[in-house]
Amino acid sequence: MKPAPAFLCYASNIIADKRYRLMSPSERFVWVSIYLECWPNHSLPANPVELAKYLGHSVEDVKAGLTARVLTFFKEVKGELISPELEEYRETLRLRNLKKSEGGKKGVERKRDKVSGGLGNAEGTPTGSLIQSKPNQSKPKHPLEKEVIPVDDSWVNDYGKASKGA
């Protein structure tokens, strides 16, 4: 399966979070940089010097923004910062895709069971008509098809001659 290209981010929930509201602009800068990087890359270096190189920002800016308040949003695992929130969301998507896949496989199995129940073969190819016809029954007409009745249109020529149009 391909990794999900995006994640849901409810701005109102982030803005309402007391930890975020109390952040300085430099803390918010570092927080959002780490948060966004955690989605495609899963983790980032916890060491501020390495993190600064990774994010492409100065060590001073990263150190100024990498406070305890910012770190409450992340978890350090083996020298790497991860976002538990994003990892939980990623797992939710994985399980959802797994259920869809299993449902699709069950659907194929149900279709195969129906087909092998007398209406076709195991490959899903129909083996006969579902419409039973009687031996002396003619093909039914389309509901919009009408029987053609010959019309006497000899008056058309007479009209044309009388009006000097012919």
Side-chain angles (χ1 to χ4, degrees):
M1 282 190 298
K2 288 182 179 181
F7 64 93
L8 290 174
C9 180
Y10 296 101
S12 59
N13 291 354
I14 293 168
I15 291 170
D17 190 310
K18 187 188 303 186
R19 298 171 298 170
Y20 181 82
R21 282 190 170 279
L22 294 172
M23 284 184 192
S24 68
S26 64
E27 287 173 312
R28 288 181 182 188
F29 157 75
V30 170
W31 173 80
V32 77
S33 297
I34 296 171
Y35 188 67
L36 295 177
E37 284 284 343
C38 279
W39 183 249
N41 300 306
H42 296 264
S43 67
L44 289 91
N47 177 295
V49 175
E50 290 178 29
L51 182 61
K53 286 180 186 176
Y54 190 91
L55 295 175
H57 300 296
S58 72
V59 175
E60 296 78 28
D61 286 343
V62 171
K63 282 184 177 180
L66 195 62
T67 64
R69 185 176 291 124
V70 169
L71 291 173
T72 62
F73 285 91
F74 305 101
K75 183 178 178 183
E76 187 174 337
V77 177
K78 298 180 184 175
E80 296 279 311
L81 293 176
I82 65 163
S83 170
E85 175 189 351
L86 293 179
E87 290 305 313
E88 183 179 316
Y89 183 69
R90 193 184 317 274
E91 181 63 10
T92 300
L93 293 178
R94 187 187 72 76
L95 292 174
R96 183 181 304 151
N97 287 339
L98 186 63
K99 285 181 182 178
K100 284 182 181 179
S101 175
E102 289 170 359
K105 290 174 186 175
K106 287 179 183 177
V108 167
E109 286 299 316
R110 282 194 301 271
K111 184 175 180 180
R112 283 190 184 139
D113 290 345
K114 283 182 182 179
V115 167
S116 64
L119 298 178
N121 57 29
E123 289 79 36
T125 309
T127 56
S129 174
L130 296 177
I131 300 171
Q132 297 294 326
S133 61
K134 295 178 183 170
N136 295 329
Q137 185 181 8
S138 62
K139 181 179 172 187
K141 292 183 180 180
H142 189 279
L144 298 178
E145 218 177 88
K146 294 185 179 179
E147 187 177 337
V148 178
I149 301 171
V151 176
D152 178 23
D153 60 353
S154 60
W155 63 270
V156 174
N157 291 334
D158 294 339
Y159 176 79
K161 287 176 189 174
S163 65
K164 298 181 184 169

